[in-house]
Amino acid sequence: MNNPNKVAMFWLTTAAGAVLFVTFQLFFYVNDFVRAQGTAPAMTFEPGVLWMFSAFYGSWIVTVLLALIGTRTAHWVVLILGSLLVILNTLGGISDGLRDGWHVAFSAVFFIALPGVFAIAVTWRRIKSKGNNHVYQ
């Protein structure tokens, strides 16, 4: 299958996995907070931290949009940025899992690292392909 949008679809799947992970992590936190009947410390964020949080997770769409460009240079940027996002999100999820439980760490590996490894591999294969995919650079 030599579809030029294949790389973008893999990164979109990884981005959706990151969103699912954050959603499940919030559900796990709310569930633990309710189970503790409000005795657990509430998690609060400053506006600047919330802005950075949304910018960090919003940067996943930049990876997908760059992958849609389809040039060899864009794929290199996607490989570097996407790999960094996969590593940082997975490590953050695992560290949260060490604090909150194994299910959070498993969710990070399952929803972020697993599709991320496939997206990295597909991007690397597209960069290394000798076909005419990147002739018009």
Side-chain angles (χ1 to χ4, degrees), residues 17-136:
V19 170
L20 280 173
F21 166 72
V22 170
T23 303
F24 284 150
Q25 185 180 19
L26 290 173
F27 284 144
F28 293 147
Y29 174 76
V30 169
N31 188 37
D32 290 342
F33 187 77
V34 169
R35 186 178 296 144
Q37 296 175 352
T39 58
M43 192 182 306
T44 59
F45 297 104
E46 298 294 322
V49 174
L50 284 176
W51 182 85
M52 289 303 295
F53 185 75
S54 62
F56 179 71
Y57 280 97
S59 63
W60 278 103
I61 197 66
V62 174
T63 306
V64 176
L65 293 173
L66 285 172
L68 283 172
I69 293 173
T71 63
R72 190 179 181 118
T73 306
H75 282 149
W76 272 108
V77 174
V78 167
L79 182 66
I80 293 167
L81 177 64
S83 297
L84 185 66
L85 285 171
V86 168
I87 291 168
L88 289 176
N89 277 276
T90 303
L91 289 177
I94 289 173
S95 71
D96 287 344
L98 294 175
R99 181 191 65 219
D100 298 335
W102 67 269
H103 53 282
V104 176
F106 174 77
S107 296
V109 171
F110 185 75
F111 289 117
I112 300 169
L114 184 64
V117 167
F118 284 104
I120 291 168
V122 166
T123 306
W124 182 251
R125 283 181 56 202
R126 177 68 67 172
I127 290 172
K128 290 300 175 186
S129 72
K130 299 295 182 190
N132 59 1
N133 299 337
H134 51 276
V135 169
Y136 298 107

